[in-house]
Amino acid sequence: MTTLYLVRHGQAGTRDAYDSLSELGMRQARLLGEHFVSQGIQFASAYVGALSRQQQTAAQVGAAYADAGVSFPAVSLDPAWDEFDLSRVYREIAPRLCAENSEFRLEYEEMREQVRISQGAHAARIHRKWLPCDTKLVEAWISGRFPFSGETWQQFRERVAACRSKIADARENVVIVTSATPVAICTGLSLEISDARVMRLAGAVYNASYTILRLRKEQLRLFTFNAVPHLAADGLCTHR
């Protein structure tokens, strides 16, 4: 049986520059690595998505092992663990949804105005909160209501689910640094829940949290979801 540690990346950047870790995100990732070391957790293999925020998180976890003199495996890059492209969804679907839904249009315009006012300040609330317009947009993408030239929800879900076959025979501890929705998809597969509930799980996943699943013949069993013992004591828990 393979034990999977699914790690969400640390806190990322602003809405217009999301694919990099904030200073807090770097600290969260480092604390996660130190926690794994303190618990005597050793990994036989490690995977990371192709996104910068994911790779920076993996690097911080690995650095904590190196500084403690504990071995950490070479990290294999696998884009199958990438998050869906929210920026592209916004570019293609938001104009169509604005034309159809006046409530969304007002929410979207207000969000963009707050982004402008923030002037790229990481601490600005607009960059750290999932808004109703985000939810409406993602729901429209999942439903396939509008033409979209990128990856569909079904393609994305199948991409993540197919990762099981790549690691099914490992029979060891495997760490995978990914994003909130892939973590939620894998958790949802273990619980056999609907897509709508998968997205609710994704919204609950903390930055630099870990979820433990066990994999046998592509069947997943959930043991721990969204753990942050390394962050909770210092009040460092964030969702975005």
Side-chain angles (χ1 to χ4, degrees):
M1 183 179 290
T2 306
T3 301
L4 308 180
Y5 286 73
L6 295 182
V7 170
R8 186 192 178 191
H9 61 77
Q11 185 188 68
T14 61
R15 280 179 175 264
D16 287 342
Y18 192 70
D19 194 22
S20 63
L21 293 189
S22 67
E23 289 186 12
L24 175 57
M26 297 287 279
R27 184 181 177 193
Q28 290 170 330
R30 176 62 184 232
L31 288 171
L32 174 60
E34 292 174 356
H35 171 73
F36 284 158
V37 170
S38 73
Q39 298 301 302
I41 300 170
Q42 292 186 293
F43 298 105
S45 54
Y47 297 87
V48 64
L51 300 174
S52 294
R53 60 190 185 271
Q54 298 169 340
Q55 294 183 57
Q56 290 171 339
T57 300
Q60 288 297 312
V61 171
Y65 274 79
D67 288 350
V70 181
S71 64
F72 190 80
V75 180
S76 299
L77 189 149
D78 187 348
W81 290 106
D82 287 1
E83 182 63 278
F84 72 92
D85 190 345
L86 180 60
S87 295
R88 184 170 183 173
V89 174
Y90 255 112
R91 286 195 304 271
E92 294 193 25
I93 295 180
R96 294 182 170 92
L97 195 53
C98 282
E100 176 187 282
N101 187 319
S102 60
E103 182 179 61
F104 171 81
R105 185 180 69 254
L106 292 173
E107 293 169 350
Y108 174 65
E109 290 173 350
E110 174 61 19
M111 181 267 285
R112 295 308 310 165
E113 176 62 12
Q114 290 302 313
V115 168
R116 186 191 66 78
I117 292 171
S118 76
Q119 297 183 332
H122 278 246
R125 184 174 175 80
I126 191 63
H127 303 302
R128 303 299 163 209
K129 186 177 180 181
W130 188 261
L131 299 174
C133 62
D134 299 317
T135 299
K136 290 182 176 71
L137 182 87
V138 172
E139 288 176 348
W141 171 63
I142 290 174
S143 71
R145 288 168 49 204
F146 300 101
F148 183 62
S149 64
E151 187 176 46
T152 66
W153 163 258
Q154 190 62 31
Q155 290 169 336
F156 169 56
R157 189 178 184 279
E158 289 174 358
R159 162 171 54 92
V160 174
C163 291
R164 291 174 295 178
S165 64
K166 303 177 185 178
I167 52 180
D169 296 325
R171 300 185 184 280
E172 298 163 308
N173 287 347
V174 176
V175 61
I176 300 161
V177 182
T178 180
S179 294
T181 318
V183 170
I185 287 171
C186 291
T187 303
L189 287 169
S190 74
L191 300 175
E192 298 182 351
I193 61 176
S194 68
D195 289 348
R197 292 187 179 275
V198 165
M199 293 310 298
R200 291 181 189 176
L201 287 177
V205 177
Y206 289 114
N207 294 120
S209 65
Y210 62 92
T211 292
I212 302 174
L213 295 154
R214 288 185 179 165
L215 177 65
R216 174 178 288 169
K217 295 181 180 179
E218 300 194 22
Q219 296 297 311
L220 289 164
R221 294 177 62 196
L222 177 66
F223 280 76
T224 301
F225 176 66
N226 203 25
V228 285
H230 51 295
L231 303 177
D234 295 323
L236 301 178
C237 298
T238 60
H239 283 107
R240 186 180 175 91

